[in-house]
Amino acid sequence: MLAIILGMLIVVCGVLFLRLHAFLALFFATLVVAAATAPACVLESGLDNRTANIVATSDLKLELTDVGDQFASKPGAYCVVRDKSDVENLKADFIWIDQFEASEAGTTATLRDSLTADSNPVGAELVSQGDYQQAVKLAKSSPSSRVANASGQTFGKIGVLIAMASIIGQCLLSSGAAERIVQGIRQSLGEQWTTLAFVISSFILAIPVFFDTVFFLMLPLAQAMARRTGRDYMKYVMSIIVGGTLAHSLVPPTPGPLFVASELNVSIGAMAIGGIAVGIWGVIAGYFYMIWANRRWQIPLRVHQTEPSEASPADPSQLPSFGFSILPVVVPILFLGLNTVNQTWPFDSNNALGSVANETISFLGDKNIALSIGAVLAMSTLILKPNMTWVGLSKSVQAALSEGGVVILITCAGGAFGEMIRQTNVGESIAQSLPEAVSGTGLLAMAFLVTLIIRVIQGSATVAMIAAIGIVVPVATQIGLPFHPVYLALAIGCGSKPLPWMNDSGFWVISRMSGFTEKETLKTFSVLLTIMGIASFLATLVCALCFPFV
């Protein structure tokens, strides 16, 4: 536990006081936690959920209890492990098991050969030879090696996704497709529903584009509307925040929800559907607070434009069509959602056409393929722009990958940090210290509060989600979930929203760009995100209770 506290202090102090880059703060904290973790704890974490306790023997039979979720349960070579405290001198008996039989009374393993008289395995743990050797190798490896391997595993999960999402966002901005989406939604809803158009537009754009970029894009439109109407500037600014901020923490492929989903083995499609489902309630709550706040306070437009064109919408004739513009966002979500549905209700595989349909949906719905298709569509909107050259396309993609590369570094360091926390075996310690009643909704509340505390201390929503998942997942593994793990991922995303203040970069982006004072930003942006985060979390609780999807 001391190693984890030290690691958290390094992250918080490094980001907050020393102004270190988030990657460096996470990386240094990861090395410290790895170096301070005893090899026995690493071994224990490597065998977590992969063992079964031997409680009795008879003839060629072993009676097993507490069978882990990832226990092999297949015929083959197994190890009987008695003492895991001394990794360097660890000894285990090797046996061969021909068959496993599960019943209500427990699990029985049938041995190929009789046990020797001096090798009584009762009270020991049974683990497959492959899992045992892998765990021992991990425990004996150096801290730096474990950190490097964990970083590589994180990249394998989400590195390509972040790169593709960065390309989608950059190309939508450079081609004018993002602005076309905003204009199209606003025109379809009408002038009187401009704020609703801003909410919908910013929510859609925040799925592939970072929130601060969405805010930069849409703020000139809000300022233009405030000049045209002469009022409601605060409402226009808040409508952008209402739509864009929750998608940033709940809907992949933005890094936070993408990383949390991968750590919990939640499909990207399920995370996207769940994020939209609970995020809508946060958006509704934020929308009503926006209306109330706009009636209570009036914040004037204080930003003076130097060039008239800066706050004016682009010429519609120079922008791609609305349908073409929105394809890079809609198509990946459609493929991911279709694959999620198909996994639950697949076509009949015995039918040739059904088998082809399943394989096609599985291929297109693969997270890397779906996002790559979206990136190709986004690049198409840019290359078809008037006067655009292949050199210009190359520069836009290069800029996107440069920005995405930084995000990948931070996320991989965060993934390694979470893995090093898991290797301390803290999950078992926390789970044992919690009351027996803490399960289900109690675990959701814990995930929400842990993320909220980290968010308030160090400011970044993404870093808070990355740090929290390393603490929450081991506890969830020990306690077990009575609902789909997507709800735990959503609770962490909701916890990253409340109480943003001066240590949050988004706070200063909104304050300085919109012309709000610090006090005005606190009572608009900070209160708004707090209300939305709590409302979305309550929606998550209700959904977990009513629709557990176990």
Side-chain angles (χ1 to χ4, degrees):
M1 186 62 72
L2 182 62
I4 297 174
I5 294 174
L6 183 59
M8 294 297 297
L9 285 175
I10 292 174
V11 173
V12 172
C13 295
V15 173
L16 194 59
F17 299 112
L18 300 180
R19 303 297 180 186
L20 287 177
H21 192 279
F23 166 73
L24 290 177
L26 285 166
F27 180 71
F28 291 147
T30 303
L31 284 176
V32 169
V33 173
T37 303
C41 291
V42 179
L43 177 65
E44 190 73 42
S45 69
L47 295 176
D48 190 32
N49 277 326
R50 300 177 185 274
T51 63
N53 292 332
I54 304 173
V55 294
T57 63
S58 59
D59 297 330
L60 295 175
K61 303 285 187 180
L62 296 179
E63 300 297 329
L64 308 176
T65 61
D66 298 329
V67 179
D69 296 336
Q70 300 179 49
F71 183 71
S73 294
K74 295 180 180 179
Y78 282 76
C79 299
V80 178
V81 184
R82 292 178 174 81
D83 183 11
K84 295 177 286 188
S85 59
D86 187 358
V87 175
E88 293 299 327
N89 300 309
L90 190 64
K91 294 181 180 180
D93 296 330
F94 292 89
I95 59 176
W96 189 276
I97 295 179
D98 284 336
Q99 184 180 0
F100 285 92
E101 296 179 3
S103 64
E104 293 183 359
T107 301
T108 302
T110 302
L111 301 176
R112 175 172 295 182
D113 301 309
S114 299
L115 295 169
T116 59
D118 59 345
S119 61
N120 182 14
V122 175
E125 291 181 334
L126 186 68
V127 60
S128 71
Q129 183 178 6
D131 289 339
Y132 172 79
Q133 292 175 341
Q134 185 176 2
V136 171
K137 181 180 179 181
L138 179 68
K140 292 183 177 181
S141 60
S142 65
S144 60
S145 176
R146 288 188 280 123
V147 171
N149 289 335
S151 299
Q153 290 170 1
T154 304
F155 179 85
K157 293 178 182 178
I158 59 176
V160 174
L161 301 180
I162 294 177
M164 294 298 109
S166 299
I167 292 174
I168 293 173
Q170 181 64 43
C171 290
L172 288 182
L173 293 172
S174 300
S175 66
E179 188 167 345
R180 167 61 81 183
I181 293 173
V182 176
Q183 291 186 8
I185 294 175
R186 181 172 162 237
Q187 290 171 2
S188 64
L189 293 176
E191 188 78 21
Q192 69 274 24
W193 296 104
T194 296
T195 52
L196 182 59
F198 282 176
V199 170
I200 297 173
S201 300
S202 58
F203 188 89
I204 293 174
L205 292 175
I207 294 174
V209 181
F210 294 116
F211 170 71
D212 54 353
T213 306
V214 173
F215 190 77
F216 292 149
L217 167 73
M218 296 191 61
L219 183 62
L221 301 177
Q223 294 171 345
M225 284 301 303
R227 284 191 177 88
R228 184 180 303 176
T229 61
R231 55 186 175 84
D232 294 339
Y233 175 57
M234 182 179 72
K235 183 170 71 171
Y236 293 131
V237 173
M238 290 179 70
S239 66
I240 300 172
I241 302 171
V242 166
T245 185
L246 275 179
H248 178 75
S249 292
L250 293 177
V251 185
T254 46
L258 184 65
F259 177 75
V260 170
S262 67
E263 289 297 295
L264 288 168
N265 294 320
V266 174
S267 70
I268 305 301
M271 186 67 185
I273 294 171
I276 292 172
V278 303
I280 286 175
W281 296 101
V283 168
I284 292 173
Y287 190 84
F288 280 110
Y289 175 75
M290 174 191 73
I291 299 298
W292 177 84
N294 189 64
R295 291 174 179 172
R296 184 175 178 85
W297 307 299
Q298 285 296 321
I299 300 178
L301 174 62
R302 304 187 182 102
V303 180
H304 300 286
Q305 60 188 95
T306 56
E307 295 292 336
S309 60
E310 285 182 1
S312 303
D315 183 0
S317 63
Q318 300 297 315
L319 301 177
S321 67
F322 178 82
F324 192 37
S325 298
I326 206 169
L327 279 179
V329 180
V330 172
V331 169
I333 294 176
L334 178 64
F335 285 155
L336 291 168
L338 188 62
N339 188 40
T340 300
V341 173
N342 184 251
Q343 288 173 353
T344 306
W345 298 288
F347 291 98
D348 184 6
S349 298
N350 295 324
N351 182 289
L353 186 60
S355 179
V356 172
N358 288 332
E359 291 180 4
T360 302
I361 293 173
S362 178
F363 174 76
L364 295 176
D366 177 84
K367 56 187 180 181
N368 291 318
I369 298 297
L371 267 292
S372 298
I373 293 173
V376 171
L377 291 172
M379 288 188 288
S380 299
T381 65
L382 184 57
I383 197 60
L384 294 177
K385 182 180 180 180
N387 302 321
M388 176 55 63
T389 64
W390 289 103
V391 174
L393 175 65
S394 177
K395 290 182 178 179
S396 294
V397 172
Q398 183 176 353
L401 293 178
S402 297
E403 181 180 358
V406 175
V407 177
I408 291 172
L409 280 175
I410 295 173
T411 309
C412 288
F417 183 56
E419 176 62 18
M420 294 308 106
I421 290 178
R422 191 189 70 80
Q423 289 179 7
T424 64
N425 214 25
V426 67
E428 183 177 355
S429 302
I430 296 177
Q432 291 175 352
S433 65
L434 292 174
E436 292 184 1
V438 176
S439 62
T441 55
L443 186 58
L444 291 180
M446 173 192 164
F448 176 80
L449 291 174
V450 166
T451 313
L452 188 155
I453 292 169
I454 299 173
R455 150 76 153 167
V456 172
I457 291 174
Q458 55 79 45
S460 169
T462 301
V463 172
M465 295 175 71
I466 290 173
I469 195 67
I471 298 174
V472 172
V473 168
V475 180
T477 303
Q478 293 292 327
I479 294 178
L481 295 176
F483 41 70
H484 196 284
V486 70
Y487 293 118
L488 189 59
L490 294 174
I492 292 173
C494 295
S496 70
K497 291 292 95 179
L499 302 177
W501 58 295
M502 281 80 163
N503 64 348
D504 178 15
S505 61
F507 179 95
W508 295 109
V509 167
I510 290 170
S511 175
R512 292 296 177 260
M513 293 296 296
S514 63
F516 288 6
T517 64
E518 286 81 359
K519 182 179 179 180
E520 289 168 346
T521 308
L522 283 171
K523 67 183 182 183
T524 54
F525 172 68
S526 300
V527 176
L528 179 64
L529 260 64
T530 302
I531 291 173
M532 293 174 67
I534 294 174
S536 297
F537 174 65
L538 293 176
T540 302
L541 281 178
V542 172
C543 290
L545 291 173
C546 298
F547 312 102
F549 297 121
V550 179

